[in-house]
Amino acid sequence: MKKKIIIACHECDLLHRIESLPEGSTALCRRCHAVLLSHKKDSLNRSLALNITALILFFISNAYPLIEIKTEGICRATTLMGGVRNLYDQGFWEIALLVLFTAILFPGFEILSRLYLLLPLKFYKKPWHMSLIIKFIQKIKPWGMMDVFMLGILVSVIKLVKMVSVIPGPSLYSFFALIFVVTGAASAMDFHSIWEKA
Amino acid sequence: MISCHNCHLVCHISPLNNPSAMACPRCGSRIHRRKPNSISRTWALVITALILYIPANVLPISISTTMGNSHEDTIISGVIYFIESGSWPIGLIIFTASIFVPVLKILVLIYLLISVQKKSSRRPLDKTRLYRMVEAVGRWSMVDIFVITIIAALIKLGVLVDFKTGPAAVYFGAVVVVTIFAAMSFDPRLIWDNIKEYHE
Ligand SMILES: [Zn+2]
């Protein structure tokens, strides 16, 4: 980051002049300690790699069963979507929608939109409707809850183990990996440098 | 000067322009000095959450049938059951996510709203930290909804056990969504508006 920039803290509105920010460092507001800017090292390549990995894991996690249970010779498995479907069939369409959006759609959209921004930038092109997509990513971010869903799976497994025998499905492992990859992918994004590049 | 909510570009604005009709020159978002109607909007959402919280706790969140005996559980009776039956880690997780976090969130937001309305200038940094904490922790309340989703999908129409979602789940889901919106609509910069100057 060569040129100096003026930035207002988005949490307390204090104006800051940042002369230069070395790679890998983060500027904090001197009044409320909010993150003003962080200049990430090799952000584009790292976030591209992490988001592609995340997309693959996302498909695996949704394609196969999460958990399988066995009781009295009856086997029953469910995918993430199966859980949503069941709520809908029971008449709880509000919760079905809530789970569908927070555990599947928003996390998926977030990965796809990040790739939509990163791929053209990798080839020195400005993505179409870039500002709209960035706005979209920032709007849906608080609603992506895959990490919370993971905790939900763990609690369910502990609850179920008391009643039936539980077999972890293939999705469970990829879902677990996905949480880490997605967290890395989100933190590798550097929107400030995207604005500067485009 | 006003900073854009979306891309954080600082824009120069002459007092002649009508600030409510300004757009950011870089990303085209509408620019506001503060989030619009932050205080009244947050109050409305907090009160809605409080009202929804009553049916969420009174109605059953799950109905399980074991060998013909039907058993209804509210959020609280579920927590008590887990603690009494020895699985206190689950009881603790559900208690934190479904009772402690929503109540804490509502109380902290009410405290911040009142302190902003009273134009208090005490400990702004601590209040900002409190706000950040409340904003980060709210989503974890969804745990119980996800647990119900998974268990209800696996255990159904079995001979011995049956597990059904109860009506409280809808209200509880609404509480989570409404409190997330409430935290979003609160503008932390209002905390700092009462601090006239900043001395290093
Ligand atoms: Zn600040």
Side-chain angles (χ1 to χ4, degrees):
Chain A
M1 230 159 271
K2 280 150 246 146
K3 62 179 185 191
K4 75 174 184 191
I5 49 162
I6 293 177
I7 192 164
C9 171
H10 58 279
E11 283 189 34
C12 77
D13 240 7
L14 190 70
L15 279 175
H16 296 76
R17 184 175 289 110
I18 298 172
E19 301 287 340
S20 72
L21 191 60
E23 227 180 27
S25 61
T26 301
L28 298 180
C29 170
R30 62 200 161 106
R31 185 163 74 170
C32 79
H33 313 322
V35 175
L36 293 174
L37 268 186
S38 77
H39 190 187
K40 282 149 187 168
K41 212 175 170 183
D42 198 18
S43 162
L44 186 56
N45 288 325
R46 269 199 314 138
S47 39
L48 200 53
L50 285 166
N51 277 299
I52 291 170
T53 316
L55 190 66
I56 297 166
L57 287 171
F58 181 82
F59 277 116
I60 299 173
S61 307
N62 280 289
Y64 298 99
L66 279 172
I67 309 174
E68 199 180 314
I69 57 164
K70 250 190 200 138
T71 173
E72 298 149 5
I74 308 165
C75 271
R76 190 163 262 143
T78 187
T79 57
L80 190 46
M81 199 55 213
V84 173
R85 192 59 218 265
N86 175 60
L87 283 174
Y88 183 81
D89 290 343
Q90 280 188 31
F92 290 96
W93 60 270
E94 304 97 331
I95 311 173
L97 280 181
L98 186 62
V99 175
L100 177 69
F101 276 96
T102 55
I104 306 176
L105 290 185
F106 284 154
F109 286 156
E110 211 183 322
I111 298 168
L112 285 175
S113 335
R114 282 199 295 246
L115 283 173
Y116 174 87
L117 290 176
L118 294 165
L119 280 170
L121 285 169
K122 176 75 191 161
F123 303 105
Y124 308 101
K125 282 191 192 113
K126 186 185 168 172
W128 273 22
H129 299 293
M130 187 179 88
S131 66
L132 201 74
I133 300 293
I134 293 184
K135 212 185 284 180
F136 178 69
I137 294 178
Q138 273 154 3
K139 276 260 149 57
I140 65 171
K141 201 168 208 163
W143 300 102
M145 301 187 187
M146 279 196 307
D147 44 355
V148 183
F149 191 82
M150 188 71 221
L151 182 64
I153 296 174
L154 293 179
V155 172
S156 315
V157 169
I158 305 172
K159 269 184 158 181
L160 287 166
V161 162
K162 297 175 85 182
M163 302 186 269
V164 291
S165 57
V166 181
I167 305 145
S171 269
L172 196 66
Y173 301 105
S174 81
F175 204 88
F176 197 61
L178 180 60
I179 307 299
F180 289 98
V181 175
V182 152
T183 312
S187 75
M189 286 293 279
D190 187 342
F191 286 110
H192 185 80
S193 75
I194 291 179
W195 282 118
E196 300 282 290
K197 264 192 201 100
Chain B
M1 282 193 283
I2 293 183
S3 153
C4 171
H5 283 278
N6 188 34
C7 72
H8 302 321
L9 183 74
V10 176
C11 318
H12 291 263
I13 285 173
S14 65
L16 287 172
N17 288 338
N18 174 13
S20 62
M22 287 287 301
C24 172
R26 182 158 72 177
C27 72
S29 304
R30 282 179 61 140
I31 295 174
H32 312 281
R33 214 169 271 278
R34 292 289 172 270
K35 291 179 190 170
N37 303 324
S38 171
I39 292 179
S40 47
R41 219 183 262 196
T42 313
W43 266 122
L45 290 164
V46 163
I47 291 166
T48 311
L50 267 176
I51 295 168
L52 289 168
Y53 196 65
I54 299 165
N57 277 285
V58 173
L59 296 173
I61 195 146
S62 64
I63 302 143
S64 46
T65 313
T66 318
M67 314 213 198
N69 295 319
S70 186
H71 179 75
E72 292 188 347
D73 259 320
T74 60
I75 295 176
I76 296 164
S77 78
V79 169
I80 294 169
Y81 168 78
F82 280 114
I83 290 171
E84 278 179 348
S85 68
S87 21
W88 59 268
I90 300 188
L92 200 66
I93 291 173
I94 302 292
F95 173 78
T96 310
S98 303
I99 300 172
F100 184 69
V101 168
V103 170
L104 179 84
K105 214 174 155 175
I106 290 171
L107 291 180
V108 166
L109 284 174
I110 290 176
Y111 165 71
L112 291 175
L113 283 167
I114 292 174
S115 92
V116 164
Q117 282 180 317
K118 284 172 73 185
K119 306 213 179 305
S120 149
S121 58
R122 285 174 51 223
R123 304 170 72 177
L125 184 57
D126 288 336
K127 283 181 198 158
T128 308
R129 285 197 178 124
L130 210 56
Y131 171 72
R132 269 178 216 152
M133 187 259 298
V134 149
E135 205 188 18
V137 96
R139 50 213 299 281
W140 292 92
S141 300
M142 281 286 285
V143 163
D144 210 15
I145 299 276
F146 291 146
V147 171
I148 288 168
T149 307
I150 297 165
I151 295 190
L154 287 169
I155 299 182
K156 54 181 176 186
L157 307 170
V159 189
L160 289 175
V161 273
D162 188 18
F163 183 91
K164 277 203 171 66
T165 314
V170 179
Y171 292 100
F172 186 73
V175 169
V176 179
V177 172
V178 171
T179 52
I180 291 177
F181 274 121
M184 273 180 191
S185 66
F186 183 79
D187 194 332
R189 290 172 301 182
L190 293 170
I191 298 170
W192 296 89
D193 282 347
N194 302 315
I195 286 106
K196 293 280 175 292
E197 272 168 78
Y198 173 68
H199 304 283
E200 251 180 279

